[in-house]
Amino acid sequence: MAVSRSRRPRIAIVAAVAAVGLTVGLTTGCDAVNKALDCVQTADAIADSVTDLQQAVESAANDPTQLEESLNSIDQNLDKIGDKTDDADVNKAVDDLQQAVTNVRDAVKNGDETPDISPVTDAAGELTKVCTP
């Protein structure tokens, strides 16, 4: 009888440790999935902003403010992704896209009414690729 009494607390402790380990594992797994979904959703929003940017470049003569609004939208979405991930590939894609946006912004400031946005499009495609789970 003494053996069964000492086993019960051990079994309870082992069960508690296993439950905590399982909970931590599931929480970590869900957190990773949530981060991936956030990345995909934000990358999708960036893709929409890039489409808006393309249209803004095409109609820059009619409304130059659209170009700036599109660039600002991309910047805001990049900040969202950068704050939510520690993935090296995602961070590199975010940095590359940020640099491409900066280059377009600089070109516009220097008087280019139809800047080359293909680096923005390429970088946004890469970001979408690395965000896909």
mmCIF file with all atom_site columns, all heavy atoms in Angstrom, residues 65-95:
data_model
loop_
_atom_site.group_PDB
_atom_site.id
_atom_site.type_symbol
_atom_site.label_atom_id
_atom_site.label_alt_id
_atom_site.label_comp_id
_atom_site.label_asym_id
_atom_site.label_entity_id
_atom_site.label_seq_id
_atom_site.pdbx_PDB_ins_code
_atom_site.Cartn_x
_atom_site.Cartn_y
_atom_site.Cartn_z
_atom_site.occupancy
_atom_site.B_iso_or_equiv
_atom_site.pdbx_formal_charge
_atom_site.auth_seq_id
_atom_site.auth_comp_id
_atom_site.auth_asym_id
_atom_site.auth_atom_id
_atom_site.pdbx_PDB_model_num
ATOM 1   N N   . THR A 1 65 ? -0.930 62.860 -56.105 1.00 0.00 ? 65 THR A N   1
ATOM 2   C CA  . THR A 1 65 ? -1.064 62.468 -54.696 1.00 0.00 ? 65 THR A CA  1
ATOM 3   C C   . THR A 1 65 ? -1.327 60.973 -54.548 1.00 0.00 ? 65 THR A C   1
ATOM 4   O O   . THR A 1 65 ? -1.015 60.392 -53.516 1.00 0.00 ? 65 THR A O   1
ATOM 5   C CB  . THR A 1 65 ? -2.191 63.255 -53.996 1.00 0.00 ? 65 THR A CB  1
ATOM 6   O OG1 . THR A 1 65 ? -3.436 62.972 -54.643 1.00 0.00 ? 65 THR A OG1 1
ATOM 7   C CG2 . THR A 1 65 ? -1.917 64.747 -54.014 1.00 0.00 ? 65 THR A CG2 1
ATOM 8   N N   . GLN A 1 66 ? -1.898 60.345 -55.574 1.00 0.00 ? 66 GLN A N   1
ATOM 9   C CA  . GLN A 1 66 ? -2.158 58.896 -55.512 1.00 0.00 ? 66 GLN A CA  1
ATOM 10  C C   . GLN A 1 66 ? -0.869 58.113 -55.357 1.00 0.00 ? 66 GLN A C   1
ATOM 11  O O   . GLN A 1 66 ? -0.833 57.107 -54.649 1.00 0.00 ? 66 GLN A O   1
ATOM 12  C CB  . GLN A 1 66 ? -2.895 58.418 -56.764 1.00 0.00 ? 66 GLN A CB  1
ATOM 13  C CG  . GLN A 1 66 ? -4.345 58.761 -56.807 1.00 0.00 ? 66 GLN A CG  1
ATOM 14  C CD  . GLN A 1 66 ? -5.004 58.175 -58.051 1.00 0.00 ? 66 GLN A CD  1
ATOM 15  O OE1 . GLN A 1 66 ? -4.341 57.837 -59.028 1.00 0.00 ? 66 GLN A OE1 1
ATOM 16  N NE2 . GLN A 1 66 ? -6.317 58.053 -58.013 1.00 0.00 ? 66 GLN A NE2 1
ATOM 17  N N   . LEU A 1 67 ? 0.163  58.564 -56.008 1.00 0.00 ? 67 LEU A N   1
ATOM 18  C CA  . LEU A 1 67 ? 1.456  57.893 -55.941 1.00 0.00 ? 67 LEU A CA  1
ATOM 19  C C   . LEU A 1 67 ? 1.969  57.897 -54.503 1.00 0.00 ? 67 LEU A C   1
ATOM 20  O O   . LEU A 1 67 ? 2.365  56.852 -53.971 1.00 0.00 ? 67 LEU A O   1
ATOM 21  C CB  . LEU A 1 67 ? 2.442  58.574 -56.878 1.00 0.00 ? 67 LEU A CB  1
ATOM 22  C CG  . LEU A 1 67 ? 3.790  57.916 -57.082 1.00 0.00 ? 67 LEU A CG  1
ATOM 23  C CD1 . LEU A 1 67 ? 3.627  56.540 -57.700 1.00 0.00 ? 67 LEU A CD1 1
ATOM 24  C CD2 . LEU A 1 67 ? 4.658  58.774 -57.980 1.00 0.00 ? 67 LEU A CD2 1
ATOM 25  N N   . GLU A 1 68 ? 1.940  59.032 -53.869 1.00 0.00 ? 68 GLU A N   1
ATOM 26  C CA  . GLU A 1 68 ? 2.404  59.156 -52.483 1.00 0.00 ? 68 GLU A CA  1
ATOM 27  C C   . GLU A 1 68 ? 1.532  58.322 -51.541 1.00 0.00 ? 68 GLU A C   1
ATOM 28  O O   . GLU A 1 68 ? 2.042  57.658 -50.636 1.00 0.00 ? 68 GLU A O   1
ATOM 29  C CB  . GLU A 1 68 ? 2.409  60.628 -52.052 1.00 0.00 ? 68 GLU A CB  1
ATOM 30  C CG  . GLU A 1 68 ? 3.039  60.874 -50.705 1.00 0.00 ? 68 GLU A CG  1
ATOM 31  C CD  . GLU A 1 68 ? 4.520  60.542 -50.643 1.00 0.00 ? 68 GLU A CD  1
ATOM 32  O OE1 . GLU A 1 68 ? 5.211  60.622 -51.681 1.00 0.00 ? 68 GLU A OE1 1
ATOM 33  O OE2 . GLU A 1 68 ? 4.990  60.165 -49.557 1.00 0.00 ? 68 GLU A OE2 1
ATOM 34  N N   . GLU A 1 69 ? 0.229  58.332 -51.758 1.00 0.00 ? 69 GLU A N   1
ATOM 35  C CA  . GLU A 1 69 ? -0.686 57.547 -50.920 1.00 0.00 ? 69 GLU A CA  1
ATOM 36  C C   . GLU A 1 69 ? -0.391 56.050 -51.048 1.00 0.00 ? 69 GLU A C   1
ATOM 37  O O   . GLU A 1 69 ? -0.403 55.320 -50.059 1.00 0.00 ? 69 GLU A O   1
ATOM 38  C CB  . GLU A 1 69 ? -2.139 57.839 -51.289 1.00 0.00 ? 69 GLU A CB  1
ATOM 39  C CG  . GLU A 1 69 ? -2.606 59.210 -50.865 1.00 0.00 ? 69 GLU A CG  1
ATOM 40  C CD  . GLU A 1 69 ? -3.993 59.551 -51.392 1.00 0.00 ? 69 GLU A CD  1
ATOM 41  O OE1 . GLU A 1 69 ? -4.704 58.644 -51.883 1.00 0.00 ? 69 GLU A OE1 1
ATOM 42  O OE2 . GLU A 1 69 ? -4.363 60.732 -51.314 1.00 0.00 ? 69 GLU A OE2 1
ATOM 43  N N   . SER A 1 70 ? -0.123 55.595 -52.252 1.00 0.00 ? 70 SER A N   1
ATOM 44  C CA  . SER A 1 70 ? 0.197  54.179 -52.464 1.00 0.00 ? 70 SER A CA  1
ATOM 45  C C   . SER A 1 70 ? 1.501  53.801 -51.771 1.00 0.00 ? 70 SER A C   1
ATOM 46  O O   . SER A 1 70 ? 1.597  52.749 -51.140 1.00 0.00 ? 70 SER A O   1
ATOM 47  C CB  . SER A 1 70 ? 0.299  53.871 -53.956 1.00 0.00 ? 70 SER A CB  1
ATOM 48  O OG  . SER A 1 70 ? -0.930 54.075 -54.588 1.00 0.00 ? 70 SER A OG  1
ATOM 49  N N   . LEU A 1 71 ? 2.500  54.657 -51.886 1.00 0.00 ? 71 LEU A N   1
ATOM 50  C CA  . LEU A 1 71 ? 3.784  54.391 -51.220 1.00 0.00 ? 71 LEU A CA  1
ATOM 51  C C   . LEU A 1 71 ? 3.614  54.378 -49.703 1.00 0.00 ? 71 LEU A C   1
ATOM 52  O O   . LEU A 1 71 ? 4.179  53.514 -49.015 1.00 0.00 ? 71 LEU A O   1
ATOM 53  C CB  . LEU A 1 71 ? 4.826  55.432 -51.640 1.00 0.00 ? 71 LEU A CB  1
ATOM 54  C CG  . LEU A 1 71 ? 5.264  55.378 -53.106 1.00 0.00 ? 71 LEU A CG  1
ATOM 55  C CD1 . LEU A 1 71 ? 6.097  56.600 -53.454 1.00 0.00 ? 71 LEU A CD1 1
ATOM 56  C CD2 . LEU A 1 71 ? 6.010  54.093 -53.406 1.00 0.00 ? 71 LEU A CD2 1
ATOM 57  N N   . ASN A 1 72 ? 2.814  55.306 -49.188 1.00 0.00 ? 72 ASN A N   1
ATOM 58  C CA  . ASN A 1 72 ? 2.559  55.336 -47.742 1.00 0.00 ? 72 ASN A CA  1
ATOM 59  C C   . ASN A 1 72 ? 1.829  54.082 -47.278 1.00 0.00 ? 72 ASN A C   1
ATOM 60  O O   . ASN A 1 72 ? 2.116  53.550 -46.198 1.00 0.00 ? 72 ASN A O   1
ATOM 61  C CB  . ASN A 1 72 ? 1.749  56.579 -47.363 1.00 0.00 ? 72 ASN A CB  1
ATOM 62  C CG  . ASN A 1 72 ? 2.553  57.849 -47.471 1.00 0.00 ? 72 ASN A CG  1
ATOM 63  O OD1 . ASN A 1 72 ? 3.786  57.832 -47.469 1.00 0.00 ? 72 ASN A OD1 1
ATOM 64  N ND2 . ASN A 1 72 ? 1.860  58.976 -47.567 1.00 0.00 ? 72 ASN A ND2 1
ATOM 65  N N   . SER A 1 73 ? 0.905  53.610 -48.078 1.00 0.00 ? 73 SER A N   1
ATOM 66  C CA  . SER A 1 73 ? 0.166  52.393 -47.732 1.00 0.00 ? 73 SER A CA  1
ATOM 67  C C   . SER A 1 73 ? 1.109  51.185 -47.653 1.00 0.00 ? 73 SER A C   1
ATOM 68  O O   . SER A 1 73 ? 1.019  50.372 -46.728 1.00 0.00 ? 73 SER A O   1
ATOM 69  C CB  . SER A 1 73 ? -0.931 52.142 -48.769 1.00 0.00 ? 73 SER A CB  1
ATOM 70  O OG  . SER A 1 73 ? -1.600 50.931 -48.512 1.00 0.00 ? 73 SER A OG  1
ATOM 71  N N   . ILE A 1 74 ? 2.021  51.091 -48.615 1.00 0.00 ? 74 ILE A N   1
ATOM 72  C CA  . ILE A 1 74 ? 2.994  49.999 -48.592 1.00 0.00 ? 74 ILE A CA  1
ATOM 73  C C   . ILE A 1 74 ? 3.869  50.109 -47.339 1.00 0.00 ? 74 ILE A C   1
ATOM 74  O O   . ILE A 1 74 ? 4.106  49.114 -46.643 1.00 0.00 ? 74 ILE A O   1
ATOM 75  C CB  . ILE A 1 74 ? 3.852  49.992 -49.873 1.00 0.00 ? 74 ILE A CB  1
ATOM 76  C CG1 . ILE A 1 74 ? 2.986  49.661 -51.085 1.00 0.00 ? 74 ILE A CG1 1
ATOM 77  C CG2 . ILE A 1 74 ? 5.003  48.993 -49.746 1.00 0.00 ? 74 ILE A CG2 1
ATOM 78  C CD1 . ILE A 1 74 ? 3.679  49.867 -52.425 1.00 0.00 ? 74 ILE A CD1 1
ATOM 79  N N   . ASP A 1 75 ? 4.327  51.321 -47.031 1.00 0.00 ? 75 ASP A N   1
ATOM 80  C CA  . ASP A 1 75 ? 5.149  51.528 -45.832 1.00 0.00 ? 75 ASP A CA  1
ATOM 81  C C   . ASP A 1 75 ? 4.432  51.067 -44.570 1.00 0.00 ? 75 ASP A C   1
ATOM 82  O O   . ASP A 1 75 ? 5.018  50.397 -43.711 1.00 0.00 ? 75 ASP A O   1
ATOM 83  C CB  . ASP A 1 75 ? 5.522  53.007 -45.678 1.00 0.00 ? 75 ASP A CB  1
ATOM 84  C CG  . ASP A 1 75 ? 6.670  53.426 -46.573 1.00 0.00 ? 75 ASP A CG  1
ATOM 85  O OD1 . ASP A 1 75 ? 7.477  52.552 -46.963 1.00 0.00 ? 75 ASP A OD1 1
ATOM 86  O OD2 . ASP A 1 75 ? 6.766  54.625 -46.874 1.00 0.00 ? 75 ASP A OD2 1
ATOM 87  N N   . GLN A 1 76 ? 3.172  51.430 -44.442 1.00 0.00 ? 76 GLN A N   1
ATOM 88  C CA  . GLN A 1 76 ? 2.399  51.049 -43.250 1.00 0.00 ? 76 GLN A CA  1
ATOM 89  C C   . GLN A 1 76 ? 2.281  49.537 -43.134 1.00 0.00 ? 76 GLN A C   1
ATOM 90  O O   . GLN A 1 76 ? 2.420  48.975 -42.047 1.00 0.00 ? 76 GLN A O   1
ATOM 91  C CB  . GLN A 1 76 ? 1.014  51.684 -43.291 1.00 0.00 ? 76 GLN A CB  1
ATOM 92  C CG  . GLN A 1 76 ? 1.035  53.180 -43.081 1.00 0.00 ? 76 GLN A CG  1
ATOM 93  C CD  . GLN A 1 76 ? -0.315 53.825 -43.361 1.00 0.00 ? 76 GLN A CD  1
ATOM 94  O OE1 . GLN A 1 76 ? -1.240 53.185 -43.866 1.00 0.00 ? 76 GLN A OE1 1
ATOM 95  N NE2 . GLN A 1 76 ? -0.425 55.110 -43.060 1.00 0.00 ? 76 GLN A NE2 1
ATOM 96  N N   . ASN A 1 77 ? 2.026  48.875 -44.241 1.00 0.00 ? 77 ASN A N   1
ATOM 97  C CA  . ASN A 1 77 ? 1.898  47.418 -44.209 1.00 0.00 ? 77 ASN A CA  1
ATOM 98  C C   . ASN A 1 77 ? 3.243  46.748 -43.925 1.00 0.00 ? 77 ASN A C   1
ATOM 99  O O   . ASN A 1 77 ? 3.293  45.720 -43.256 1.00 0.00 ? 77 ASN A O   1
ATOM 100 C CB  . ASN A 1 77 ? 1.288  46.911 -45.516 1.00 0.00 ? 77 ASN A CB  1
ATOM 101 C CG  . ASN A 1 77 ? -0.191 47.199 -45.586 1.00 0.00 ? 77 ASN A CG  1
ATOM 102 O OD1 . ASN A 1 77 ? -0.920 47.001 -44.623 1.00 0.00 ? 77 ASN A OD1 1
ATOM 103 N ND2 . ASN A 1 77 ? -0.646 47.692 -46.717 1.00 0.00 ? 77 ASN A ND2 1
ATOM 104 N N   . LEU A 1 78 ? 4.313  47.320 -44.425 1.00 0.00 ? 78 LEU A N   1
ATOM 105 C CA  . LEU A 1 78 ? 5.642  46.775 -44.131 1.00 0.00 ? 78 LEU A CA  1
ATOM 106 C C   . LEU A 1 78 ? 5.940  46.871 -42.644 1.00 0.00 ? 78 LEU A C   1
ATOM 107 O O   . LEU A 1 78 ? 6.531  45.954 -42.063 1.00 0.00 ? 78 LEU A O   1
ATOM 108 C CB  . LEU A 1 78 ? 6.718  47.500 -44.939 1.00 0.00 ? 78 LEU A CB  1
ATOM 109 C CG  . LEU A 1 78 ? 6.756  47.182 -46.427 1.00 0.00 ? 78 LEU A CG  1
ATOM 110 C CD1 . LEU A 1 78 ? 7.755  48.082 -47.139 1.00 0.00 ? 78 LEU A CD1 1
ATOM 111 C CD2 . LEU A 1 78 ? 7.085  45.723 -46.662 1.00 0.00 ? 78 LEU A CD2 1
ATOM 112 N N   . ASP A 1 79 ? 5.535  47.973 -42.027 1.00 0.00 ? 79 ASP A N   1
ATOM 113 C CA  . ASP A 1 79 ? 5.728  48.117 -40.583 1.00 0.00 ? 79 ASP A CA  1
ATOM 114 C C   . ASP A 1 79 ? 4.976  47.023 -39.827 1.00 0.00 ? 79 ASP A C   1
ATOM 115 O O   . ASP A 1 79 ? 5.478  46.475 -38.847 1.00 0.00 ? 79 ASP A O   1
ATOM 116 C CB  . ASP A 1 79 ? 5.261  49.490 -40.105 1.00 0.00 ? 79 ASP A CB  1
ATOM 117 C CG  . ASP A 1 79 ? 6.180  50.610 -40.546 1.00 0.00 ? 79 ASP A CG  1
ATOM 118 O OD1 . ASP A 1 79 ? 7.337  50.330 -40.932 1.00 0.00 ? 79 ASP A OD1 1
ATOM 119 O OD2 . ASP A 1 79 ? 5.744  51.789 -40.504 1.00 0.00 ? 79 ASP A OD2 1
ATOM 120 N N   . LYS A 1 80 ? 3.774  46.689 -40.285 1.00 0.00 ? 80 LYS A N   1
ATOM 121 C CA  . LYS A 1 80 ? 2.982  45.638 -39.631 1.00 0.00 ? 80 LYS A CA  1
ATOM 122 C C   . LYS A 1 80 ? 3.697  44.298 -39.685 1.00 0.00 ? 80 LYS A C   1
ATOM 123 O O   . LYS A 1 80 ? 3.764  43.575 -38.696 1.00 0.00 ? 80 LYS A O   1
ATOM 124 C CB  . LYS A 1 80 ? 1.603  45.505 -40.285 1.00 0.00 ? 80 LYS A CB  1
ATOM 125 C CG  . LYS A 1 80 ? 0.674  46.634 -39.998 1.00 0.00 ? 80 LYS A CG  1
ATOM 126 C CD  . LYS A 1 80 ? -0.648 46.406 -40.717 1.00 0.00 ? 80 LYS A CD  1
ATOM 127 C CE  . LYS A 1 80 ? -1.541 47.614 -40.625 1.00 0.00 ? 80 LYS A CE  1
ATOM 128 N NZ  . LYS A 1 80 ? -2.783 47.446 -41.389 1.00 0.00 ? 80 LYS A NZ  1
ATOM 129 N N   . ILE A 1 81 ? 4.221  43.954 -40.856 1.00 0.00 ? 81 ILE A N   1
ATOM 130 C CA  . ILE A 1 81 ? 4.918  42.674 -40.989 1.00 0.00 ? 81 ILE A CA  1
ATOM 131 C C   . ILE A 1 81 ? 6.189  42.680 -40.154 1.00 0.00 ? 81 ILE A C   1
ATOM 132 O O   . ILE A 1 81 ? 6.475  41.728 -39.440 1.00 0.00 ? 81 ILE A O   1
ATOM 133 C CB  . ILE A 1 81 ? 5.272  42.363 -42.459 1.00 0.00 ? 81 ILE A CB  1
ATOM 134 C CG1 . ILE A 1 81 ? 4.012  42.083 -43.255 1.00 0.00 ? 81 ILE A CG1 1
ATOM 135 C CG2 . ILE A 1 81 ? 6.199  41.147 -42.542 1.00 0.00 ? 81 ILE A CG2 1
ATOM 136 C CD1 . ILE A 1 81 ? 4.265  41.811 -44.717 1.00 0.00 ? 81 ILE A CD1 1
ATOM 137 N N   . GLY A 1 82 ? 6.944  43.742 -40.240 1.00 0.00 ? 82 GLY A N   1
ATOM 138 C CA  . GLY A 1 82 ? 8.205  43.825 -39.498 1.00 0.00 ? 82 GLY A CA  1
ATOM 139 C C   . GLY A 1 82 ? 8.014  43.693 -38.004 1.00 0.00 ? 82 GLY A C   1
ATOM 140 O O   . GLY A 1 82 ? 8.857  43.109 -37.311 1.00 0.00 ? 82 GLY A O   1
ATOM 141 N N   . ASP A 1 83 ? 6.896  44.185 -37.491 1.00 0.00 ? 83 ASP A N   1
ATOM 142 C CA  . ASP A 1 83 ? 6.617  44.101 -36.060 1.00 0.00 ? 83 ASP A CA  1
ATOM 143 C C   . ASP A 1 83 ? 6.176  42.713 -35.629 1.00 0.00 ? 83 ASP A C   1
ATOM 144 O O   . ASP A 1 83 ? 6.272  42.372 -34.459 1.00 0.00 ? 83 ASP A O   1
ATOM 145 C CB  . ASP A 1 83 ? 5.523  45.102 -35.671 1.00 0.00 ? 83 ASP A CB  1
ATOM 146 C CG  . ASP A 1 83 ? 5.977  46.546 -35.790 1.00 0.00 ? 83 ASP A CG  1
ATOM 147 O OD1 . ASP A 1 83 ? 7.201  46.783 -35.877 1.00 0.00 ? 83 ASP A OD1 1
ATOM 148 O OD2 . ASP A 1 83 ? 5.103  47.436 -35.820 1.00 0.00 ? 83 ASP A OD2 1
ATOM 149 N N   . LYS A 1 84 ? 5.694  41.902 -36.550 1.00 0.00 ? 84 LYS A N   1
ATOM 150 C CA  . LYS A 1 84 ? 5.089  40.625 -36.189 1.00 0.00 ? 84 LYS A CA  1
ATOM 151 C C   . LYS A 1 84 ? 5.952  39.408 -36.476 1.00 0.00 ? 84 LYS A C   1
ATOM 152 O O   . LYS A 1 84 ? 5.538  38.300 -36.196 1.00 0.00 ? 84 LYS A O   1
ATOM 153 C CB  . LYS A 1 84 ? 3.752  40.459 -36.923 1.00 0.00 ? 84 LYS A CB  1
ATOM 154 C CG  . LYS A 1 84 ? 2.703  41.426 -36.467 1.00 0.00 ? 84 LYS A CG  1
ATOM 155 C CD  . LYS A 1 84 ? 1.409  41.199 -37.200 1.00 0.00 ? 84 LYS A CD  1
ATOM 156 C CE  . LYS A 1 84 ? 0.368  42.189 -36.730 1.00 0.00 ? 84 LYS A CE  1
ATOM 157 N NZ  . LYS A 1 84 ? -0.912 41.974 -37.397 1.00 0.00 ? 84 LYS A NZ  1
ATOM 158 N N   . THR A 1 85 ? 7.122  39.591 -37.047 1.00 0.00 ? 85 THR A N   1
ATOM 159 C CA  . THR A 1 85 ? 7.895  38.406 -37.416 1.00 0.00 ? 85 THR A CA  1
ATOM 160 C C   . THR A 1 85 ? 9.341  38.525 -36.990 1.00 0.00 ? 85 THR A C   1
ATOM 161 O O   . THR A 1 85 ? 9.869  39.626 -36.853 1.00 0.00 ? 85 THR A O   1
ATOM 162 C CB  . THR A 1 85 ? 7.822  38.148 -38.931 1.00 0.00 ? 85 THR A CB  1
ATOM 163 O OG1 . THR A 1 85 ? 8.444  36.890 -39.212 1.00 0.00 ? 85 THR A OG1 1
ATOM 164 C CG2 . THR A 1 85 ? 8.511  39.230 -39.725 1.00 0.00 ? 85 THR A CG2 1
ATOM 165 N N   . ASP A 1 86 ? 9.929  37.369 -36.786 1.00 0.00 ? 86 ASP A N   1
ATOM 166 C CA  . ASP A 1 86 ? 11.372 37.320 -36.551 1.00 0.00 ? 86 ASP A CA  1
ATOM 167 C C   . ASP A 1 86 ? 12.015 36.373 -37.560 1.00 0.00 ? 86 ASP A C   1
ATOM 168 O O   . ASP A 1 86 ? 13.151 35.971 -37.397 1.00 0.00 ? 86 ASP A O   1
ATOM 169 C CB  . ASP A 1 86 ? 11.682 36.905 -35.108 1.00 0.00 ? 86 ASP A CB  1
ATOM 170 C CG  . ASP A 1 86 ? 11.056 35.572 -34.731 1.00 0.00 ? 86 ASP A CG  1
ATOM 171 O OD1 . ASP A 1 86 ? 10.341 34.985 -35.561 1.00 0.00 ? 86 ASP A OD1 1
ATOM 172 O OD2 . ASP A 1 86 ? 11.286 35.111 -33.598 1.00 0.00 ? 86 ASP A OD2 1
ATOM 173 N N   . ASP A 1 87 ? 11.267 36.054 -38.618 1.00 0.00 ? 87 ASP A N   1
ATOM 174 C CA  . ASP A 1 87 ? 11.753 35.182 -39.674 1.00 0.00 ? 87 ASP A CA  1
ATOM 175 C C   . ASP A 1 87 ? 12.744 35.947 -40.550 1.00 0.00 ? 87 ASP A C   1
ATOM 176 O O   . ASP A 1 87 ? 12.436 37.019 -41.068 1.00 0.00 ? 87 ASP A O   1
ATOM 177 C CB  . ASP A 1 87 ? 10.560 34.694 -40.511 1.00 0.00 ? 87 ASP A CB  1
ATOM 178 C CG  . ASP A 1 87 ? 10.982 33.729 -41.585 1.00 0.00 ? 87 ASP A CG  1
ATOM 179 O OD1 . ASP A 1 87 ? 11.450 34.198 -42.644 1.00 0.00 ? 87 ASP A OD1 1
ATOM 180 O OD2 . ASP A 1 87 ? 10.846 32.508 -41.372 1.00 0.00 ? 87 ASP A OD2 1
ATOM 181 N N   . ALA A 1 88 ? 13.928 35.400 -40.717 1.00 0.00 ? 88 ALA A N   1
ATOM 182 C CA  . ALA A 1 88 ? 14.993 36.080 -41.470 1.00 0.00 ? 88 ALA A CA  1
ATOM 183 C C   . ALA A 1 88 ? 14.606 36.316 -42.927 1.00 0.00 ? 88 ALA A C   1
ATOM 184 O O   . ALA A 1 88 ? 14.888 37.388 -43.484 1.00 0.00 ? 88 ALA A O   1
ATOM 185 C CB  . ALA A 1 88 ? 16.290 35.274 -41.392 1.00 0.00 ? 88 ALA A CB  1
ATOM 186 N N   . ASP A 1 89 ? 13.964 35.342 -43.559 1.00 0.00 ? 89 ASP A N   1
ATOM 187 C CA  . ASP A 1 89 ? 13.565 35.497 -44.963 1.00 0.00 ? 89 ASP A CA  1
ATOM 188 C C   . ASP A 1 89 ? 12.515 36.595 -45.121 1.00 0.00 ? 89 ASP A C   1
ATOM 189 O O   . ASP A 1 89 ? 12.568 37.391 -46.061 1.00 0.00 ? 89 ASP A O   1
ATOM 190 C CB  . ASP A 1 89 ? 13.024 34.183 -45.529 1.00 0.00 ? 89 ASP A CB  1
ATOM 191 C CG  . ASP A 1 89 ? 14.109 33.123 -45.656 1.00 0.00 ? 89 ASP A CG  1
ATOM 192 O OD1 . ASP A 1 89 ? 15.290 33.489 -45.787 1.00 0.00 ? 89 ASP A OD1 1
ATOM 193 O OD2 . ASP A 1 89 ? 13.762 31.925 -45.620 1.00 0.00 ? 89 ASP A OD2 1
ATOM 194 N N   . VAL A 1 90 ? 11.561 36.635 -44.207 1.00 0.00 ? 90 VAL A N   1
ATOM 195 C CA  . VAL A 1 90 ? 10.527 37.666 -44.262 1.00 0.00 ? 90 VAL A CA  1
ATOM 196 C C   . VAL A 1 90 ? 11.154 39.038 -44.032 1.00 0.00 ? 90 VAL A C   1
ATOM 197 O O   . VAL A 1 90 ? 10.862 39.996 -44.751 1.00 0.00 ? 90 VAL A O   1
ATOM 198 C CB  . VAL A 1 90 ? 9.402  37.389 -43.235 1.00 0.00 ? 90 VAL A CB  1
ATOM 199 C CG1 . VAL A 1 90 ? 8.431  38.553 -43.163 1.00 0.00 ? 90 VAL A CG1 1
ATOM 200 C CG2 . VAL A 1 90 ? 8.652  36.109 -43.592 1.00 0.00 ? 90 VAL A CG2 1
ATOM 201 N N   . ASN A 1 91 ? 12.040 39.122 -43.034 1.00 0.00 ? 91 ASN A N   1
ATOM 202 C CA  . ASN A 1 91 ? 12.689 40.404 -42.751 1.00 0.00 ? 91 ASN A CA  1
ATOM 203 C C   . ASN A 1 91 ? 13.508 40.898 -43.942 1.00 0.00 ? 91 ASN A C   1
ATOM 204 O O   . ASN A 1 91 ? 13.509 42.090 -44.260 1.00 0.00 ? 91 ASN A O   1
ATOM 205 C CB  . ASN A 1 91 ? 13.567 40.310 -41.505 1.00 0.00 ? 91 ASN A CB  1
ATOM 206 C CG  . ASN A 1 91 ? 12.736 40.316 -40.241 1.00 0.00 ? 91 ASN A CG  1
ATOM 207 O OD1 . ASN A 1 91 ? 11.666 40.905 -40.183 1.00 0.00 ? 91 ASN A OD1 1
ATOM 208 N ND2 . ASN A 1 91 ? 13.222 39.653 -39.215 1.00 0.00 ? 91 ASN A ND2 1
ATOM 209 N N   . LYS A 1 92 ? 14.192 39.988 -44.630 1.00 0.00 ? 92 LYS A N   1
ATOM 210 C CA  . LYS A 1 92 ? 14.967 40.381 -45.816 1.00 0.00 ? 92 LYS A CA  1
ATOM 211 C C   . LYS A 1 92 ? 14.035 40.879 -46.920 1.00 0.00 ? 92 LYS A C   1
ATOM 212 O O   . LYS A 1 92 ? 14.301 41.896 -47.566 1.00 0.00 ? 92 LYS A O   1
ATOM 213 C CB  . LYS A 1 92 ? 15.820 39.230 -46.333 1.00 0.00 ? 92 LYS A CB  1
ATOM 214 C CG  . LYS A 1 92 ? 16.633 39.652 -47.569 1.00 0.00 ? 92 LYS A CG  1
ATOM 215 C CD  . LYS A 1 92 ? 17.626 38.642 -48.008 1.00 0.00 ? 92 LYS A CD  1
ATOM 216 C CE  . LYS A 1 92 ? 18.419 39.005 -49.224 1.00 0.00 ? 92 LYS A CE  1
ATOM 217 N NZ  . LYS A 1 92 ? 18.081 40.170 -49.984 1.00 0.00 ? 92 LYS A NZ  1
ATOM 218 N N   . ALA A 1 93 ? 12.935 40.176 -47.129 1.00 0.00 ? 93 ALA A N   1
ATOM 219 C CA  . ALA A 1 93 ? 11.975 40.587 -48.155 1.00 0.00 ? 93 ALA A CA  1
ATOM 220 C C   . ALA A 1 93 ? 11.364 41.945 -47.806 1.00 0.00 ? 93 ALA A C   1
ATOM 221 O O   . ALA A 1 93 ? 11.175 42.794 -48.687 1.00 0.00 ? 93 ALA A O   1
ATOM 222 C CB  . ALA A 1 93 ? 10.885 39.533 -48.317 1.00 0.00 ? 93 ALA A CB  1
ATOM 223 N N   . VAL A 1 94 ? 11.087 42.166 -46.530 1.00 0.00 ? 94 VAL A N   1
ATOM 224 C CA  . VAL A 1 94 ? 10.562 43.460 -46.086 1.00 0.00 ? 94 VAL A CA  1
ATOM 225 C C   . VAL A 1 94 ? 11.592 44.559 -46.346 1.00 0.00 ? 94 VAL A C   1
ATOM 226 O O   . VAL A 1 94 ? 11.261 45.622 -46.865 1.00 0.00 ? 94 VAL A O   1
ATOM 227 C CB  . VAL A 1 94 ? 10.165 43.413 -44.592 1.00 0.00 ? 94 VAL A CB  1
ATOM 228 C CG1 . VAL A 1 94 ? 9.946  44.811 -44.027 1.00 0.00 ? 94 VAL A CG1 1
ATOM 229 C CG2 . VAL A 1 94 ? 8.906  42.569 -44.405 1.00 0.00 ? 94 VAL A CG2 1
ATOM 230 N N   . ASP A 1 95 ? 12.853 44.287 -45.992 1.00 0.00 ? 95 ASP A N   1
ATOM 231 C CA  . ASP A 1 95 ? 13.916 45.273 -46.225 1.00 0.00 ? 95 ASP A CA  1
ATOM 232 C C   . ASP A 1 95 ? 14.074 45.595 -47.709 1.00 0.00 ? 95 ASP A C   1
ATOM 233 O O   . ASP A 1 95 ? 14.225 46.761 -48.092 1.00 0.00 ? 95 ASP A O   1
ATOM 234 C CB  . ASP A 1 95 ? 15.250 44.780 -45.663 1.00 0.00 ? 95 ASP A CB  1
ATOM 235 C CG  . ASP A 1 95 ? 15.284 44.748 -44.144 1.00 0.00 ? 95 ASP A CG  1
ATOM 236 O OD1 . ASP A 1 95 ? 14.398 45.369 -43.502 1.00 0.00 ? 95 ASP A OD1 1
ATOM 237 O OD2 . ASP A 1 95 ? 16.184 44.083 -43.590 1.00 0.00 ? 95 ASP A OD2 1
#
